[in-house]
């Protein structure tokens, strides 16, 4: 199987794009000779890309415009139309790059910049991080606030003023010595402030029955020792009473 040279394959692609464009079908030209001039070839591809864009065939429009940029990378207009294609397709990243390139290559007062700047700013807003605000208060105050777990970065202590956070679901974690660690699921909404008020619970003291046993033990312990001493004394006294007559009898 013989491989087709890359240059020949590219020429075939260009010819196919131009001949298949809506404009080419509307105005067939059977006498066209092969295009050799790069500028004319780029213009043919640009016209095809614009026609594909207007007929909402975005994939072919992108291929045609990418080919134009490969041929004449310094020309600004192909980037403008490529930005239109990517923007309509919902791909704001590539659209923004194409628009920025176009704007960097045309004068400030160019009338084409009005629409481009509008779409560029729309893409910037679309790609900007979505954030909301969170404010936290607690009773008692002074609790450490973290997101999403106790070991995560420290945000501050309560009362915590409005703090920017990524929009979405999170777990709010509060910690204060002597109090039970508290967590709460929260949802941060873009451009909104969520206010949370929490009452912290003290760490429980030892239970009452354990304290009672401890007190009883503390009281009975010395008494038991005294009782043991008295018992030993009585036992020794009685033992002496039994042995004394025997000793005297001797």
């Amino acid at each position: 199987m013989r491989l087709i040279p890359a240059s020949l394959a590219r020429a075939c692609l260009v010819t196919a794009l131009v001949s298949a464009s809506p404009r080419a079908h509307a105005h067939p030209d059977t006498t066209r000779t092969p295009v050799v001039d790069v500028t004319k070839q780029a213009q043919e591809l640009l016209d095809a890309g614009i026609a594909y864009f207007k007929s909402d065939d975005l994939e072919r429009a992108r291929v045609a415009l990418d080919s134009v940029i490969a041929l004449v990378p310094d020309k600004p207009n192909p980037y403008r139309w490529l930005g239109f294609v990517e923007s309509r397709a919902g791909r704001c990243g590539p659209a923004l790059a194409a628009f920025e390139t176009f704007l960097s290559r045309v004068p400030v007062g160019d009338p084409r910049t009005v629409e481009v700047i509008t779409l560029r700013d729309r893409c910037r807003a679309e790609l900007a991080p979505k954030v909301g605000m969170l404010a936290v208060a607690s009773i008692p105050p002074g609790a450490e606030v973290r997101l999403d777990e106790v070991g995560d970065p420290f945000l501050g202590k309560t009362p915590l003023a409005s703090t920017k956070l990524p929009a979405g679901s999170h777990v709010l974690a509060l910690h204060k010595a002597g109090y039970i660690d508290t967590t709460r699921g929260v949802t941060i909404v873009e451009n909104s402030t969520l206010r949370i008020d929490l009452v912290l619970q003290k760490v429980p003291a030892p239970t009452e029955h354990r304290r009672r046993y401890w007190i009883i033990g503390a009281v009975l312990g010395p008494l038991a020792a005294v009782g043991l001493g008295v018992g030993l004394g009585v036992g020794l006294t009685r033992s002496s009473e039994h042995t004394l007559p025997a000793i005297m009898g001797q």
Side-chain angles (χ1 to χ4, degrees), residues 27-38:
H27 304 283
D29 185 2
T30 56
T31 63
R32 182 184 299 277
T33 56
V35 177
V36 178
D37 185 86
V38 172

Side-chain angles (χ1 to χ4, degrees), residues 8 59 63 65 80 103-104 109 122 131 153 156-157 159 165:
L8 180 58
E59 190 57 39
V63 172
L65 293 168
R80 169 173 166 260
L103 292 172
S104 69
R122 188 179 300 169
V131 298
K157 290 188 176 182
L165 293 173

Side-chain angles (χ1 to χ4, degrees), residues 2-94:
R2 299 179 62 184
L3 297 177
I4 300 174
S7 58
L8 180 58
R10 186 172 188 82
C12 291
L13 174 61
V14 170
T15 303
L17 286 169
V18 174
S19 61
S21 69
R23 181 172 297 181
H25 286 298
H27 304 283
D29 185 2
T30 56
T31 63
R32 182 184 299 277
T33 56
V35 177
V36 178
D37 185 86
V38 172
T39 303
K40 290 183 179 180
Q41 186 176 350
Q43 187 61 52
E44 291 281 352
L45 282 168
L46 179 62
D47 292 341
I50 294 171
Y52 282 130
F53 171 74
K54 291 180 178 179
S55 65
D56 215 30
D57 191 343
L58 301 182
E59 190 57 39
R60 287 187 177 181
R62 184 185 303 106
V63 172
L65 293 168
D66 281 339
S67 300
V68 177
I69 291 171
L71 289 172
V72 285
D74 295 331
K75 298 293 184 180
N77 204 34
Y79 295 99
R80 169 173 166 260
W81 283 101
L82 182 60
F84 290 160
V85 170
E86 298 291 8
S87 179
R88 181 177 291 183
R91 289 185 284 264
C92 264

Side-chain angles (χ1 to χ4, degrees), residues 173-193:
L174 271 68
H175 170 77
K176 184 177 176 66
Y179 292 83
I180 299 174
D181 288 344
T182 302
T183 58
R184 172 74 63 85
V186 296
T187 300
I188 306 298
V189 178
E190 182 183 2
N191 298 326
S192 298
T193 300

Side-chain angles (χ1 to χ4, degrees), residues 215-229:
I215 293 172
I216 293 173
V219 173
L220 293 182
L223 293 177
V226 172
L228 179 61

Side-chain angles (χ1 to χ4, degrees), residues 28 114 175 197 209 226-227 233 237:
V114 175
H175 170 77
D197 296 296
H209 69 277
V226 172
T237 302

